[in-house]
Amino acid sequence: MTIVYIFMIFFLFALALVTIVIPKILNVTPYVVEDNKMAPQYRKGGLVFVKNKERDIHVGDPITYYENQGNAIKTRRVLAVDDRLEGYFVKGDNTDKVEMGIVHKRNLIGRPYFYLPYIGILVNAQIMGVLKVSLFLLAVLMTFYALLVPASIHQFRQQTK
């Protein structure tokens, strides 16, 4: 049981380090990749860390932006920059079709800084809800175990004397 607890604590510490501490240090924001349109560079379920827009975006750069009034976040490659409309025409690397419409500069989040595959599955809101409930139940069980086992051991020692 102790090995399982140690493994779980180490795993949660590593997950917190990857998703909270490192992004704060590097000034990046993590986002979950929701489709495979940028595969193989950014696959669905991965976690892309985006640096806020600090410099100009050029043709060929990958960008992350809000879509549908902030309901979706996408990462695509810039095909053309339109300074007159103040936006970008984008396309996924894994698709032949250009995305409909233009990505306005006001919807731009930034450029992907680095990417971690599969981690986005754990950061998903639904998975995090299940994980929180599971951890709460585990904490309750560990508390009862810590309270009851020493008393049982003490009673056993008293009986053997």
Side-chain angles (χ1 to χ4, degrees):
M1 285 301 263
T2 305
I3 294 172
V4 172
Y5 294 149
I6 291 171
F7 177 75
M8 289 180 64
I9 290 170
F10 177 75
F11 177 74
L12 292 174
F13 175 75
L15 184 62
L17 186 70
V18 166
T19 59
I20 298 170
V21 176
I22 292 175
K24 291 293 181 191
I25 292 171
L26 297 176
N27 194 25
V28 293
T29 306
Y31 295 99
V32 177
V33 178
E34 297 178 358
D35 59 29
N36 275 322
K37 289 192 177 180
M38 283 296 287
Q41 188 172 6
Y42 306 112
R43 291 191 183 275
K44 182 177 181 175
L47 201 60
V48 65
F49 292 83
V50 179
K51 195 144 186 114
N52 292 340
K53 48 188 174 190
E54 293 180 354
R55 57 187 171 132
D56 291 334
I57 304 295
H58 303 288
V59 172
D61 291 343
I63 61 170
T64 301
Y65 59 93
Y66 294 108
E67 190 176 74
N68 295 334
Q69 300 176 348
N71 291 332
I73 296 171
K74 294 189 175 183
T75 300
R76 300 289 187 265
R77 191 163 309 279
V78 175
L79 289 179
V81 178
D82 190 332
D83 291 327
R84 188 174 56 84
L85 295 175
E86 293 187 352
Y88 310 100
F89 292 97
V90 297
K91 173 185 161 310
D93 291 350
N94 196 24
T95 183
D96 295 331
K97 297 179 182 179
V98 175
E99 297 283 320
M100 293 292 292
I102 189 168
V103 176
H104 294 280
K105 288 185 179 182
R106 68 179 176 267
N107 293 337
L108 180 67
I109 297 171
R111 293 183 52 163
Y113 191 63
F114 64 95
Y115 168 78
L116 294 174
Y118 311 114
I119 301 292
I121 295 167
L122 298 174
V123 181
N124 185 332
Q126 295 167 341
I127 301 294
M128 289 303 283
V130 170
L131 186 64
K132 286 178 187 178
V133 170
S134 301
L135 289 175
F136 175 75
L137 292 174
L138 181 65
V140 169
L141 290 173
M142 288 174 64
T143 303
F144 283 129
Y145 180 78
L147 293 173
L148 297 177
V149 169
S152 299
I153 292 173
H154 180 69
Q155 284 179 342
F156 180 73
R157 286 184 182 165
Q158 292 295 330
Q159 290 174 353
T160 58
K161 286 184 180 180

